[in-house]
């Protein structure tokens, strides 16, 4: 009998393994600006697992190249939405500025490193360098998170916001909300090569997978500017129309679909990058901003600031499956996992 059990053991293990419920191959991380914390969502159970304090005004969020760390832009500057008289606001807490580093395996904050003055959005280079938009410095900072230092800062125009790295890693694009421009910076020389005029209050930056086109959301014009990366000029302006306020973007892996959140428009649009046509639109939540696709592109996630939740959307049906409560004023959404 003992010999029979030993002989069957490998087969039994395989059978038990195949019957065991499989967990998610990824997690969803949400930066909450109002409460200064990070919510982690299980996409299979479609619920928040935990919310962890990380620092003031958590906004931009990205993973390290190996997916082991999550970086979050933190700021001690008081929130100043459009129409607010900044002279009436309290002084900024500069000690709160920086890039928080969260360890995925342990589920703990490791440290905070300098990230310039009032960091908001950023991109991550293949070598781990962070390219950070610093609102108070009106510039783009090159940050070495491993050694915790700012390497250099390149002027971009007032109120820099969106940051995007070309797929080949050679150039980084940074938008200026105040100037309505995009500054293109060479990552090797750390010098601006051109400033391109786009629309009013440009927010996000996205690229086609082949790097041939860049897409810029212009919140106050309700448009998307399309930039020819080779010629460094706007070749198309996609009009979305009021009351849409284009904000964040998520590009499909094959470049056939561009998902655009529309802020106070409460919708997500699906654009055809090749033609610039709007293929579909659907309502998701209250002022969606941060947006991300699941690795298999079956689900879409949007951060809805005023309602303090994240919408989980079935991409095939374009319907909200569930709204998951997170922290106060969710800002960014990040998916960490494998395809």
């Amino acid at each position: 009998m003992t010999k029979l059990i030993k002989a069957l053991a490998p087969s039994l293990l395989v059978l038990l393994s195949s019957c065991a419920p499989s967990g998610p191959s990824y997690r969803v991380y949400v930066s909450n600006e109002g409460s200064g914390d990070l919510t982690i969502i299980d996409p299979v159970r479609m619920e928040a697992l935990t919310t962890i304090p990380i620092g003031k005004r958590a906004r931009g969020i990205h993973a390290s190249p190996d997916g082991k760390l999550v970086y979050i832009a933190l700021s001690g500057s008081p929130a100043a939405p459009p129409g607010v008289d900044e002279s009436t606001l309290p002084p900024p807490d500069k000690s709160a500025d920086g890039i928080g580093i969260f360890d995925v395996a342990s589920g703990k904050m490791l440290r905070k490193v300098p990230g310039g003055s009032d960091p908001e959005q950023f991109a991550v280079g293949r070598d781990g360098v962070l390219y950070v938009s610093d609102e108070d410095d009106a510039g783009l900072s090159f940050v070495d998170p491993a050694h915790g230092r700012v390497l250099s800062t390149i002027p971009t125009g007032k109120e820099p916001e969106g940051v995007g790295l070309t797929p080949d890693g050679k150039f980084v694009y940074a938008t200026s909300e105040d100037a309505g421009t995009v500054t293109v910076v060479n990552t090797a020389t750390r010098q601006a090569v051109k400033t391109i005029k786009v629309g009013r209050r440009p927010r996000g930056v996205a690229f086609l997978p082949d790097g041939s086109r860049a897409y810029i959301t212009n919140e106050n014009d309700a448009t998307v500017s399309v930039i020819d990366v080779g010629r460094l000029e706007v070749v198309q302006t996609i009009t979305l129309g009021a009351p849409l306020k284009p904000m964040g973007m998520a590009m499909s892996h094959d470049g056939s679909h561009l998902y655009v959140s529309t802020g106070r428009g409460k919708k997500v649009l699906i654009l055809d990058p090749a033609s610039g046509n709007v293929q579909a639109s659907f309502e998701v939540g209250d002022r969606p901003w941060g947006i991300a696709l699941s690795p298999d592109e079956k689900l879409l996630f949007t951060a809805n600031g005023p309602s303090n939740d994240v919408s989980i959307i079935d991409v095939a049906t374009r319907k909200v499956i569930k709204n998951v409560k997170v922290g106060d004023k969710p800002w960014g959404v990040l998916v960490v996992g494998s395809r």
Side-chain angles (χ1 to χ4, degrees), residues 293-305:
L293 282 162
S294 63
D296 61 8
E297 300 191 354
K298 292 182 179 180
L299 298 177
L300 185 71
F301 306 90
T302 64
N304 312 313

Side-chain angles (χ1 to χ4, degrees), residues 13-25:
L13 286 174
V14 171
L15 178 62
L16 289 172
S17 176
S18 65
C19 293
S22 60
S25 59

